[in-house]
């Protein structure tokens, strides 16, 4: 007969300590039947012997199947297995009761801090912290003043961001929603605008708007800068051209009648109108005269508007556009900044670098 050695189920080595392989002997059929090439044979109809090893290396013998069934039966008997917990092993017990944050556990406002430390690192909490590590409102006021002083003297963005986030965390844990919390988020927004950190701006602005809404529901005013930061929220909704109409219109629609006369909000509404009308000249005039920190918010999408303006001008003008004129129109501080921007967008310059060749630049649009 035909003898073939195949990788079979590993046998126990308790007797002789050696690893052996099973030898599977395939008995040939006693009668050889001629193959009809025109007849389709289904493999499912062929019954193989019980000792055959499958093509993927699995032993399908009856003994191997019984052994597997026995192992699975033992694994399923959960009541016979003893579970070992590591929760109570080693180390002294905690000084306070550990409660999970969220549903069924500690909630915002249930913790009263007692810490006197002005600074602490921001922590990613999964359990309610020790009240001795949380600062009460009077300490948080001093801590926020210290962050502002250090920012003016050192301008350490990483340190300032962490301290502001820890102050915001202490406010949330204690349910503080007054002027302290608003001031912490407003300071965070101003610093992130100075550093151009869009992610931190979006996070802090979203939380601040929730505080403004809670103050409105309570019929109170927790911040004197509500209109200023509401204007930043309107401008923030113009970051994406696809969502411009939806976000900016939604933010404007939510304004109270008294807010629409505020200079900061009127400016943000005018910027949105210029963008929707593709009035680039008006947009850049507004950009040049942006109040407070509105220009910092517009910096996140001004290059998009510049590209749109250049595209419209190159398609409409012939044969050339002066670089100095574009510098003034697009509101660049230096000529080399404008020149670099035009080259990055694929604009072709004349030999003297003074003009944009509109005809040669059109393929880049």
């Amino acid at each position: 007969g035909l003898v073939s050695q195949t990788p079979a189920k590993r046998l126990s080595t308790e007797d002789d300590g050696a690893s052996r392989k099973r030898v599977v002997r395939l008995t040939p059929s006693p009668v050889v039947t001629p193959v009809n090439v025109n007849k389709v044979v289904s493999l499912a109809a062929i019954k193989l012997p019980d000792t055959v090893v499958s093509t993927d290396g699995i032993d399908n013998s009856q003994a191997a199947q019984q052994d597997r069934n026995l192992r699975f039966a033992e694994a399923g008997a959960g009541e016979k297995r003893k579970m070992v917990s590591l929760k109570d092993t080693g180390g002294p017990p905690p000084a306070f009761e550990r409660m999970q944050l969220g549903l069924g556990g500690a909630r915002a406002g249930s913790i009263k801090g007692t810490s006197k430390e002005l600074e602490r690192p921001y922590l990613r909490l999964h359990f309610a912290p020790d009240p001795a590590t949380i600062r009460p409102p009077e300490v948080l006021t001093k801590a926020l003043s210290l962050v502002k002083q250090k920012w003016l003297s050192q301008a350490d963005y990483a340190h300032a961001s962490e301290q502001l986030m820890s102050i915001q965390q202490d406010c949330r844990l204690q349910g503080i929603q007054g002027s302290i919390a608003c001031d912490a988020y407003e300071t965070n927004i101003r610093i992130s605008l100075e550093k151009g950190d869009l992610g931190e701006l979006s996070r802090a602005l979203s939380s601040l708007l929730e505080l403004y809404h809670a103050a409105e529901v309570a019929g109170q005013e927790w911040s004197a800068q509500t209109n200023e930061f509401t204007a930043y929220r309107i401008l923030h909704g113009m970051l994406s051209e696809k969502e411009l109409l939806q976000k900016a219109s939604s933010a404007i629609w939510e304004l109270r009648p008294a807010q629409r006369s505020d200079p900061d909000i009127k400016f943000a509404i005018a910027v949105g109108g210029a963008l929707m009308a593709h009035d680039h000249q008006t947009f850049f005039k507004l950009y040049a005269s942006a109040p407070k920190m509105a220009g910092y918010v517009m910096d996140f999408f001004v290059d998009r508007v510049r590209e749109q303006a250049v595209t419209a001008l190159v398609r409409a003008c012939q044969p050339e556009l002066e670089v100095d004129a574009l510098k003034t129109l697009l509101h660049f501080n230096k000529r080399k900044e404008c020149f670099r921007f035009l080259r990055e967008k694929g604009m072709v310059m004349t030999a003297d670098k003074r003009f944009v060749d509109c005809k040669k630049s059109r393929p880049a649009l």
Side-chain angles (χ1 to χ4, degrees), residues 3 30 38 48 75 83 87 120 126 130 151 164 215 249 261 290 319 338 359 364:
V3 178
N38 297 325
L48 298 177
M83 302 299 294
K87 289 184 178 180
R120 76 162 179 85
H126 298 284
D130 187 347
W151 173 252
L164 287 170
S249 300
S261 60
C338 180
K359 183 176 181 181

Side-chain angles (χ1 to χ4, degrees), residues 7 16 80 83 132 157:
D16 53 8
K80 297 181 181 180
M83 302 299 294
Y157 181 64

Side-chain angles (χ1 to χ4, degrees), residues 226-279:
T226 300
N227 290 337
E228 176 188 351
F229 287 89
T230 301
Y232 299 159
R233 181 244 179 139
I234 298 173
L235 294 173
H236 183 271
M238 304 175 191
L239 292 176
S240 173
E241 185 178 10
K242 294 182 179 179
E243 300 177 349
L244 169 63
L245 182 61
Q246 176 185 356
K247 290 189 175 181
S249 300
S250 175
I252 294 173
W253 181 80
E254 294 175 0
L255 294 174
R256 300 190 305 273
Q259 288 182 302
R260 295 178 181 271
S261 60
D262 181 82
D264 296 332
I265 293 180
K266 288 176 66 175
F267 173 84
I269 295 175
V271 172
L275 286 178
M276 293 180 187
H278 298 282
D279 186 352

Side-chain angles (χ1 to χ4, degrees), residues 22 72 156 209:
R22 293 186 58 184
F72 292 143
D156 187 343
L209 293 174

Side-chain angles (χ1 to χ4, degrees), residues 7-8 52 76 110 136 166-167 173 196 240 256 266 275 287 313 357 361:
V52 170
S110 62
S166 69
I167 292 173
L173 290 171
S240 173
R256 300 190 305 273
K266 288 176 66 175
L275 286 178
Y287 178 67
L313 288 171
D357 190 323
S361 299

Side-chain angles (χ1 to χ4, degrees), residues 10-62:
R10 187 177 297 278
L11 301 179
S12 174
T13 58
E14 296 178 356
D15 298 333
D16 53 8
S19 299
R20 297 174 295 179
K21 296 180 178 179
R22 293 186 58 184
V23 177
V24 181
R25 184 180 298 277
L26 302 179
T27 305
S29 302
V31 180
V32 179
T33 305
V35 178
N36 183 1
V37 296
N38 297 325
K39 182 178 180 181
V40 178
V41 180
S42 174
L43 296 178
I46 300 177
K47 181 176 179 60
L48 298 177
D50 292 339
T51 58
V52 170
V53 178
S54 66
T55 56
D56 53 3
I58 301 176
D59 187 357
N60 290 326
S61 64
Q62 185 176 2

Side-chain angles (χ1 to χ4, degrees), residues 15-307:
D15 298 333
D16 53 8
S19 299
R20 297 174 295 179
K21 296 180 178 179
R22 293 186 58 184
V23 177
V24 181
R25 184 180 298 277
L26 302 179
T27 305
S29 302
V31 180
V32 179
T33 305
V35 178
N36 183 1
V37 296
N38 297 325
K39 182 178 180 181
V40 178
V41 180
S42 174
L43 296 178
I46 300 177
K47 181 176 179 60
L48 298 177
D50 292 339
T51 58
V52 170
V53 178
S54 66
T55 56
D56 53 3
I58 301 176
D59 187 357
N60 290 326
S61 64
Q62 185 176 2
Q65 292 178 3
Q66 291 177 353
D67 182 70
R68 285 197 294 270
N69 293 336
L70 181 61
R71 283 189 287 110
F72 292 143
E74 292 177 353
E79 64 276 3
K80 297 181 181 180
R81 294 180 178 270
K82 183 179 179 180
M83 302 299 294
V84 179
S85 175
L86 300 178
K87 289 184 178 180
D88 302 325
T89 60
F96 63 96
E97 183 182 0
R98 292 171 62 89
M99 297 179 63
Q100 183 114 18
L101 293 171
L103 297 177
R107 299 178 182 274
S110 62
I111 301 174
K112 301 299 180 184
T114 59
S115 174
K116 301 299 181 182
E117 299 292 333
L118 293 182
E119 293 185 333
R120 76 162 179 85
Y122 172 77
L123 303 175
R124 299 188 179 277
L125 301 173
H126 298 284
F127 290 88
D130 187 347
T133 64
I134 305 301
R135 295 160 292 185
E138 60 273 11
V139 179
L140 290 175
T141 302
K142 298 178 181 179
L144 185 56
S145 298
L146 180 62
V147 172
K148 295 178 181 180
Q149 294 173 8
K150 283 192 172 183
W151 173 252
L152 293 176
S153 60
Q154 302 175 8
D156 187 343
Y157 181 64
H159 177 76
S161 295
E162 183 182 36
Q163 293 307 311
L164 287 170
M165 290 177 65
S166 69
I167 292 173
Q168 296 160 11
Q169 187 177 55
D170 286 354
C171 289
R172 290 194 302 270
L173 290 171
Q174 298 176 93
I176 300 173
Q177 291 187 322
S179 59
I180 301 176
C182 289
D183 195 2
Y185 283 109
E186 290 169 355
T187 303
N188 199 346
I189 291 172
R190 295 190 191 279
I191 292 177
S192 62
L193 282 174
E194 288 189 33
K195 301 300 292 186
D197 189 343
L198 179 58
E200 190 67 13
L201 167 66
S202 302
R203 182 196 68 81
L205 188 59
S206 176
S207 299
L208 179 62
L209 293 174
E210 293 180 2
L211 289 173
Y212 286 168
H213 177 70
E216 185 178 356
V217 172
Q220 301 175 0
E221 184 179 357
W222 294 343
S223 172
Q225 289 79 35
T226 300
N227 290 337
E228 176 188 351
F229 287 89
T230 301
Y232 299 159
R233 181 244 179 139
I234 298 173
L235 294 173
H236 183 271
M238 304 175 191
L239 292 176
S240 173
E241 185 178 10
K242 294 182 179 179
E243 300 177 349
L244 169 63
L245 182 61
Q246 176 185 356
K247 290 189 175 181
S249 300
S250 175
I252 294 173
W253 181 80
E254 294 175 0
L255 294 174
R256 300 190 305 273
Q259 288 182 302
R260 295 178 181 271
S261 60
D262 181 82
D264 296 332
I265 293 180
K266 288 176 66 175
F267 173 84
I269 295 175
V271 172
L275 286 178
M276 293 180 187
H278 298 282
D279 186 352
H280 303 124
Q281 186 175 7
T282 300
F283 172 85
F284 287 110
K285 286 182 179 179
L286 292 169
Y287 178 67
S289 60
K292 299 176 181 177
M293 301 193 76
Y296 287 87
V297 185
M298 298 173 70
D299 283 341
F300 289 113
F301 56 86
V302 66
D303 280 347
R304 185 190 78 222
V305 184
R306 284 170 173 160
E307 185 176 1

